[in-house]
Amino acid sequence: MNTISLKKIISIVEYGKYSLPILNWVIRILDKKNHLNLYIESLKAKWENKHNLAIKYANIIISTTTTTTILKELARFEKIKILIILDKKDYAKKEYFYLKKNFSFIPEYARNLILPGLKHLCSIYKDDLGDINICSNKYNESYVQMALLKYSEARKFRDEKKYDEAYKQAIEGYILAKKFPHPTIMCSGLNNAAWWLRNVDKKKALYVANLLEYYLGYYFEDLPKMYNQFDTIFEIYFMNNNIRIFEITDIIYKLHNKYSDFKIGDKFNKFIFSDNIKTYELTKNLNNFISKKIKKECYHSSKKSSELRKIIDDYNLSFNSNYPFAINNEIYKIYIKNNFNSNIAKFKTTVRSKIPKLFFSTYSSLIEKPYFAKSRILKLIFEGNKDKIIKYFSSNYEKMYFFNLMLSNFQEENLIDNFYNNSHLTEDFLPDEVSLFYVSRKKLIFNLLKNAKNFKEFILNYFELNEEEMRTFDMFLRNCVRYDIKWPITPYPKGKVRDFAIKYGLGQKRVALGYYSFEDNERLFLDSIIEKFL
């Protein structure tokens, strides 16, 4: 099969959509009519929700493959899953019995992709697996498939309303999926665990929601498909009176503004931060709140920001999800400013040569770029005068928040350790400064730049890009690191892409992974951006 073994491809596609850069690299050397190529195209179409196209490719493989049972039955399995999604269970049932009949002819290394789904199909059709052995040693060595079985057990406990047990099974499934790793399955487990547990142990659910937020930033770019996960995080932050609900709401609103199919409800309106309000309308809700606190009626139609600050200070108020917007908005301002003041000391001990990379990794992590006067900020960052930089970022809340994000250093291991030692969860491990979504995106870029060369030229070229070019280039840089695991096949770049990797010291394998995470037509645009750096 054009020098790429089917066994290697199967070990790659077990990663799901996370395998996309490797598959895009492989597909270049396959004949378009090759059945392996058609199988990869079917998977890609499924991941893009192009279900009819995915079924078309699967049908071609099923009807014309004569040399191998493996590809035919793998294609049939994908077809069954899509038919169930499309609520065509009778058609799927027919294919299911073909699959079950031919299962014994499939080599053991390929069965790992099918067994959990086959077990699920048996439950749908109230069938019996018969003499199919689902407990082989090799099967039990597959972390992904073991994770899926844990999730199956978790759903049973959920249906029995045994939510604590459901949570434990889901977390065990997440831990197995992380060992692989399989980001989609990891986040599915965390999302379910947090949601099922929220009404039983909201504090424990908060730990899970924090880690889920971190992984959404670390692993995913197709964020419009992640509404359910963002909504879970929002609800759990709301229940826990967690002030970072402002940040998750800000991300949700930015996605809503950017993608027309990212629909949101009115519940988020109360947590849209506004840093320039000096005077608030005295709504009935705000009036009642203030009157209860100060024990007297308010007769004005508005309240100044300074007046609300005094009430917050006098009564030592901290964030509460049910407080009026005006009170929480002012509390959040105080929160940003306090964090900024705390981070000044940390910044003063930061090695000067590290500042440009911290700045760039933060800037490139954001969904919407803040307005910085390009010449002014770059001059400050490269000169490294810390007092001037502090003064610059102290001028408004947007800049202070940026500064806080720049200095953040949260480690996911803190939360993961708590899952392994489930007996006791402590407040010390809860992040309390900035959005973990942005922290993880920042971490990707910072790791890429650790050994970067010609960095000043790199950053100057970056700031010559337009908005669309920046957005694509940011994604490319993040993908260079997020896909960097030990794959059965190692891709390497060619031509100008290789020249780019060498010139800036970013690592050829990483740059290849970032490059092939884009489709053919997208790579043409990326090529034009990369040329600007050479």
Side-chain angles (χ1 to χ4, degrees):
M1 295 205 176
N2 299 70
T3 74
I4 303 292
S5 74
L6 179 57
K7 189 172 184 178
K8 278 189 176 181
I9 293 298
I10 288 173
S11 68
I12 289 166
V13 300
E14 194 172 3
Y15 288 85
K17 191 176 180 180
Y18 189 55
S19 63
L20 185 62
I22 304 297
L23 296 181
N24 278 342
W25 189 76
V26 166
I27 216 167
R28 302 168 310 115
I29 61 174
L30 296 176
D31 185 285
K32 287 192 174 182
K33 294 182 181 179
N34 184 299
H35 286 102
L36 182 55
N37 181 82
L38 292 174
Y39 175 61
I40 293 172
E41 291 290 2
S42 177
L43 291 173
K44 288 171 63 177
K46 182 190 75 171
W47 295 332
E48 294 171 10
N49 293 325
K50 296 177 180 177
H51 295 132
N52 290 332
L53 182 60
I55 288 176
K56 176 185 174 183
Y57 287 131
N59 282 335
I60 293 172
I61 297 168
I62 293 167
S63 61
T64 61
T65 299
T66 57
T67 57
T68 173
T69 303
I70 306 172
L71 269 183
K72 179 183 289 190
E73 298 312 317
L74 287 175
R76 192 188 310 278
F77 179 58
E78 296 301 330
K79 179 181 177 181
I80 293 168
K81 289 193 289 185
I82 295 168
L83 288 171
I84 289 174
I85 290 171
L86 298 176
D87 200 26
K88 296 181 178 180
K89 291 183 180 178
D90 289 339
Y91 292 100
K93 187 175 184 178
K94 180 181 176 182
E95 297 291 348
Y96 158 74
F97 282 110
Y98 276 118
L99 177 62
K100 185 181 173 186
K101 178 182 177 182
N102 294 327
F103 189 79
S104 61
F105 300 108
I106 302 172
E108 194 162 321
Y109 68 82
R111 294 181 185 182
N112 284 347
L113 285 177
I114 297 175
L115 275 167
L118 194 61
K119 185 178 180 183
H120 179 60
L121 291 169
C122 284
S123 66
I124 290 177
Y125 297 122
K126 296 181 172 51
D127 190 31
D128 187 349
L129 279 173
D131 59 355
I132 292 176
N133 178 16
I134 67 165
C135 298
S136 72
N137 289 333
K138 287 189 182 290
Y139 176 61
N140 284 331
E141 289 170 6
S142 171
Y143 290 128
V144 171
Q145 313 313 324
M146 289 164 66
L148 290 173
L149 289 179
K150 287 289 183 184
Y151 292 165
S152 178
E153 292 299 314
R155 285 190 291 271
K156 288 180 183 176
F157 284 120
R158 175 207 60 190
D159 293 343
E160 295 169 4
K161 301 192 184 307
K162 296 177 181 178
Y163 296 113
D164 202 52
E165 287 299 319
Y167 162 82
K168 289 176 183 177
Q169 292 294 318
I171 291 301
E172 286 181 20
Y174 149 74
I175 291 170
L176 288 165
K178 180 172 172 55
K179 287 180 179 179
F180 194 68
H182 195 302
T184 302
I185 295 178
M186 287 163 58
C187 289
S188 174
L190 291 174
N191 188 64
N192 288 337
W195 191 252
W196 297 337
L197 196 68
R198 72 193 191 284
N199 292 322
V200 179
D201 188 335
K202 66 180 183 181
K203 185 61 69 178
K204 195 183 286 186
L206 180 59
Y207 279 86
V208 184
N210 278 322
L211 197 55
L212 177 60
E213 182 188 346
Y214 182 89
Y215 286 141
L216 288 181
Y218 193 91
Y219 283 114
F220 297 99
E221 292 292 341
D222 50 352
L223 298 173
K225 297 178 182 178
M226 302 295 166
Y227 174 81
N228 287 342
Q229 287 85 345
F230 282 114
D231 186 60
T232 294
I233 296 164
F234 174 90
E235 291 291 344
I236 290 169
Y237 287 0
F238 183 95
M239 294 173 70
N240 281 277
N241 296 316
N242 190 295
I243 197 167
R244 287 195 297 108
I245 196 171
F246 274 105
E247 292 156 29
I248 204 69
T249 299
D250 182 67
I251 292 166
I252 289 168
Y253 254 82
K254 283 181 168 62
L255 294 174
H256 172 65
N257 292 335
K258 186 177 176 183
Y259 301 104
S260 58
D261 56 343
F262 194 84
K263 307 296 184 184
I264 61 175
D266 293 336
K267 67 181 179 181
F268 301 104
N269 294 345
K270 187 180 172 184
F271 302 101
I272 304 172
F273 176 59
S274 180
D275 61 354
N276 56 7
I277 300 178
K278 304 298 182 187
T279 303
Y280 295 87
E281 178 188 356
L282 192 61
T283 62
K284 183 178 179 180
N285 186 27
L286 180 58
N287 187 26
N288 289 341
F289 179 85
I290 294 172
S291 298
K292 288 179 182 178
K293 286 293 177 188
I294 66 176
K295 309 299 183 188
K296 64 179 182 181
E297 291 293 326
C298 300
Y299 296 103
H300 301 288
S301 60
S302 61
K303 276 287 182 184
K304 291 181 179 179
S305 172
S306 57
E307 294 176 291
L308 295 182
R309 289 285 186 103
K310 187 174 187 312
I311 293 171
I312 291 167
D313 290 341
D314 289 347
Y315 293 91
N316 195 27
L317 299 181
S318 56
F319 177 82
N320 185 299
S321 301
N322 293 306
Y323 283 174
F325 165 75
I327 298 294
N328 279 336
N329 198 58
E330 290 302 315
I331 290 174
Y332 189 55
K333 286 181 185 178
I334 296 168
Y335 174 80
I336 292 174
K337 184 67 180 293
N338 287 345
N339 284 332
F340 177 80
N341 291 334
S342 298
N343 280 321
I344 287 174
K346 192 189 298 184
F347 181 67
K348 287 186 174 180
T349 63
T350 300
V351 178
R352 189 167 290 165
S353 60
K354 193 177 178 181
I355 294 173
K357 290 179 182 177
L358 283 173
F359 168 79
F360 179 79
S361 58
T362 304
Y363 188 87
S364 56
S365 73
L366 300 176
I367 296 173
E368 290 181 6
K369 308 300 186 190
Y371 174 75
F372 294 141
K374 183 173 67 175
S375 59
R376 170 75 172 144
I377 189 61
L378 293 182
K379 185 173 185 292
L380 285 172
I381 291 301
F382 282 110
E383 281 181 354
N385 186 311
K386 293 181 181 179
D387 290 333
K388 288 183 178 179
I389 292 172
I390 291 166
K391 183 179 179 181
Y392 178 84
F393 282 107
S394 67
S395 62
N396 61 50
Y397 289 101
E398 181 182 42
K399 289 177 179 175
M400 283 190 278
Y401 183 82
F402 185 97
F403 185 84
N404 293 338
L405 179 56
M406 195 166 70
L407 273 293
S408 64
N409 190 30
F410 174 76
Q411 300 297 322
E412 63 173 307
E413 289 79 10
N414 292 340
L415 286 171
I416 293 172
D417 287 346
N418 272 266
F419 292 141
Y420 286 106
N421 304 296
N422 206 355
S423 56
H424 120 245
L425 304 171
T426 66
E427 293 283 344
D428 298 340
F429 293 111
L430 287 174
D432 193 36
E433 282 191 19
V434 289
S435 164
L436 294 182
F437 174 85
Y438 287 131
V439 167
S440 60
R441 282 160 66 108
K442 186 192 87 168
K443 182 178 180 179
L444 289 167
I445 304 294
F446 191 78
N447 285 347
L448 179 66
L449 300 175
K450 273 185 179 177
N451 300 310
K453 302 183 295 186
N454 303 308
F455 184 63
K456 187 170 183 179
E457 180 183 348
F458 178 91
I459 199 170
L460 289 173
N461 286 330
Y462 176 85
F463 275 93
E464 291 301 319
L465 302 178
N466 62 37
E467 185 179 339
E468 184 182 5
E469 289 170 333
M470 273 191 183
R471 186 164 56 246
T472 298
F473 194 68
D474 291 345
M475 189 188 308
F476 161 64
L477 295 179
R478 288 192 290 271
N479 286 350
C480 287
V481 179
R482 64 163 52 110
Y483 290 109
D484 186 17
I485 63 170
K486 187 176 181 181
W487 294 100
I489 298 170
T490 302
Y492 285 99
K494 294 183 178 180
K496 291 181 179 179
V497 181
R498 182 187 58 199
D499 295 342
F500 169 83
I502 294 170
K503 179 176 180 177
Y504 295 106
L506 303 180
Q508 292 190 50
K509 176 193 171 188
R510 281 183 162 183
V511 168
L513 288 167
Y515 185 72
Y516 287 105
S517 68
F518 291 82
E519 299 299 329
D520 287 346
N521 58 325
E522 297 169 325
R523 291 200 293 271
L524 292 174
F525 182 54
L526 184 57
D527 286 338
S528 69
I529 298 171
I530 287 173
E531 283 182 6
K532 297 183 179 184
F533 286 78
L534 298 175

CSV table of all heavy atoms in Angstrom, one decimal, residues 401-418:
chain,number,residue,atom,x,y,z
A,401,TYR,N,-5.2,42.8,32.5
A,401,TYR,CA,-5.5,41.4,32.3
A,401,TYR,C,-4.5,40.7,31.5
A,401,TYR,O,-4.1,39.6,31.7
A,401,TYR,CB,-6.9,41.3,31.7
A,401,TYR,CG,-7.3,39.8,31.6
A,401,TYR,CD1,-7.8,39.1,32.7
A,401,TYR,CD2,-7.1,39.1,30.4
A,401,TYR,CE1,-8.2,37.8,32.6
A,401,TYR,CE2,-7.4,37.7,30.3
A,401,TYR,CZ,-8.0,37.1,31.4
A,401,TYR,OH,-8.3,35.8,31.4
A,402,PHE,N,-4.1,41.4,30.4
A,402,PHE,CA,-3.0,40.8,29.5
A,402,PHE,C,-1.8,40.6,30.3
A,402,PHE,O,-1.1,39.5,30.2
A,402,PHE,CB,-2.8,41.8,28.4
A,402,PHE,CG,-1.8,41.3,27.3
A,402,PHE,CD1,-2.3,40.7,26.2
A,402,PHE,CD2,-0.4,41.4,27.5
A,402,PHE,CE1,-1.4,40.2,25.2
A,402,PHE,CE2,0.5,40.9,26.6
A,402,PHE,CZ,0.0,40.3,25.4
A,403,PHE,N,-1.4,41.5,31.1
A,403,PHE,CA,-0.2,41.4,32.0
A,403,PHE,C,-0.3,40.2,32.9
A,403,PHE,O,0.6,39.4,33.1
A,403,PHE,CB,0.0,42.7,32.7
A,403,PHE,CG,1.2,42.7,33.6
A,403,PHE,CD1,2.4,43.1,33.0
A,403,PHE,CD2,1.2,42.4,34.9
A,403,PHE,CE1,3.6,43.2,33.8
A,403,PHE,CE2,2.4,42.5,35.7
A,403,PHE,CZ,3.6,42.9,35.1
A,404,ASN,N,-1.5,40.0,33.5
A,404,ASN,CA,-1.8,38.9,34.4
A,404,ASN,C,-1.6,37.6,33.7
A,404,ASN,O,-1.1,36.6,34.2
A,404,ASN,CB,-3.2,39.0,35.0
A,404,ASN,CG,-3.3,40.2,36.0
A,404,ASN,OD1,-2.3,40.7,36.5
A,404,ASN,ND2,-4.5,40.6,36.2
A,405,LEU,N,-2.2,37.5,32.5
A,405,LEU,CA,-2.1,36.3,31.7
A,405,LEU,C,-0.6,36.0,31.3
A,405,LEU,O,-0.2,34.9,31.3
A,405,LEU,CB,-2.9,36.4,30.4
A,405,LEU,CG,-2.9,35.3,29.4
A,405,LEU,CD1,-3.4,34.0,30.1
A,405,LEU,CD2,-3.9,35.5,28.2
A,406,MET,N,0.1,37.1,31.0
A,406,MET,CA,1.5,37.0,30.6
A,406,MET,C,2.3,36.3,31.7
A,406,MET,O,3.3,35.6,31.5
A,406,MET,CB,2.1,38.3,30.2
A,406,MET,CG,3.4,38.3,29.5
A,406,MET,SD,3.8,39.9,28.7
A,406,MET,CE,4.1,40.9,30.2
A,407,LEU,N,2.0,36.6,33.0
A,407,LEU,CA,2.7,36.2,34.1
A,407,LEU,C,2.2,34.9,34.7
A,407,LEU,O,2.7,34.3,35.7
A,407,LEU,CB,2.7,37.2,35.2
A,407,LEU,CG,3.8,38.3,35.1
A,407,LEU,CD1,5.2,37.7,35.4
A,407,LEU,CD2,3.9,39.1,33.8
A,408,SER,N,1.1,34.4,34.2
A,408,SER,CA,0.5,33.1,34.7
A,408,SER,C,1.3,31.9,34.4
A,408,SER,O,2.0,31.9,33.4
A,408,SER,CB,-0.9,32.9,34.1
A,408,SER,OG,-0.8,32.7,32.7
A,409,ASN,N,1.3,31.0,35.4
A,409,ASN,CA,2.2,29.8,35.2
A,409,ASN,C,1.5,28.6,35.9
A,409,ASN,O,2.1,27.8,36.6
A,409,ASN,CB,3.5,30.1,35.9
A,409,ASN,CG,4.5,29.0,35.6
A,409,ASN,OD1,4.5,28.4,34.5
A,409,ASN,ND2,5.4,28.7,36.5
A,410,PHE,N,0.2,28.4,35.6
A,410,PHE,CA,-0.5,27.3,36.1
A,410,PHE,C,-0.1,26.0,35.5
A,410,PHE,O,0.2,25.9,34.3
A,410,PHE,CB,-2.0,27.5,35.9
A,410,PHE,CG,-2.9,26.3,36.3
A,410,PHE,CD1,-3.1,26.1,37.7
A,410,PHE,CD2,-3.4,25.4,35.4
A,410,PHE,CE1,-3.9,25.0,38.1
A,410,PHE,CE2,-4.1,24.3,35.8
A,410,PHE,CZ,-4.4,24.1,37.1
A,411,GLN,N,0.0,24.9,36.3
A,411,GLN,CA,0.4,23.6,35.8
A,411,GLN,C,-0.7,22.6,35.9
A,411,GLN,O,-1.3,22.5,37.0
A,411,GLN,CB,1.6,23.1,36.6
A,411,GLN,CG,2.9,24.0,36.6
A,411,GLN,CD,3.4,24.1,35.2
A,411,GLN,OE1,3.5,23.2,34.4
A,411,GLN,NE2,3.9,25.3,34.8
A,412,GLU,N,-1.1,22.0,34.9
A,412,GLU,CA,-2.2,21.1,34.9
A,412,GLU,C,-1.9,19.9,35.8
A,412,GLU,O,-2.9,19.3,36.4
A,412,GLU,CB,-2.4,20.5,33.5
A,412,GLU,CG,-1.3,19.7,32.9
A,412,GLU,CD,-1.6,19.0,31.6
A,412,GLU,OE1,-2.6,18.3,31.6
A,412,GLU,OE2,-0.8,19.2,30.7
A,413,GLU,N,-0.7,19.6,36.1
A,413,GLU,CA,-0.3,18.4,37.0
A,413,GLU,C,-0.9,18.6,38.4
A,413,GLU,O,-1.3,17.6,39.0
A,413,GLU,CB,1.2,18.3,37.1
A,413,GLU,CG,1.8,17.7,35.8
A,413,GLU,CD,2.0,18.8,34.7
A,413,GLU,OE1,1.8,20.0,35.1
A,413,GLU,OE2,2.4,18.5,33.6
A,414,ASN,N,-1.1,19.9,38.8
A,414,ASN,CA,-1.7,20.1,40.1
A,414,ASN,C,-3.1,19.5,40.3
A,414,ASN,O,-3.4,18.9,41.3
A,414,ASN,CB,-1.7,21.6,40.4
A,414,ASN,CG,-0.4,22.3,40.5
A,414,ASN,OD1,0.6,21.5,40.8
A,414,ASN,ND2,-0.3,23.5,40.4
A,415,LEU,N,-3.9,19.7,39.2
A,415,LEU,CA,-5.2,19.2,39.3
A,415,LEU,C,-5.2,17.7,39.0
A,415,LEU,O,-6.0,16.9,39.6
A,415,LEU,CB,-6.1,19.9,38.2
A,415,LEU,CG,-6.5,21.3,38.6
A,415,LEU,CD1,-7.2,22.0,37.4
A,415,LEU,CD2,-7.5,21.3,39.8
A,416,ILE,N,-4.4,17.2,38.1
A,416,ILE,CA,-4.3,15.8,37.8
A,416,ILE,C,-3.9,15.0,39.0
A,416,ILE,O,-4.5,13.9,39.3
A,416,ILE,CB,-3.4,15.5,36.6
A,416,ILE,CG1,-3.9,16.2,35.3
A,416,ILE,CG2,-3.2,14.0,36.4
A,416,ILE,CD1,-3.0,16.1,34.2
A,417,ASP,N,-3.0,15.5,39.8
A,417,ASP,CA,-2.5,14.8,41.0
A,417,ASP,C,-3.7,14.5,41.9
A,417,ASP,O,-3.8,13.5,42.6
A,417,ASP,CB,-1.4,15.5,41.7
A,417,ASP,CG,-0.1,15.5,40.9
A,417,ASP,OD1,0.0,14.6,40.1
A,417,ASP,OD2,0.8,16.3,41.2
A,418,ASN,N,-4.6,15.5,41.9
A,418,ASN,CA,-5.8,15.4,42.8
A,418,ASN,C,-6.7,14.3,42.4
A,418,ASN,O,-7.4,13.7,43.2
A,418,ASN,CB,-6.5,16.7,42.9
A,418,ASN,CG,-6.0,17.6,44.0
A,418,ASN,OD1,-6.5,17.6,45.1
A,418,ASN,ND2,-5.0,18.3,43.7
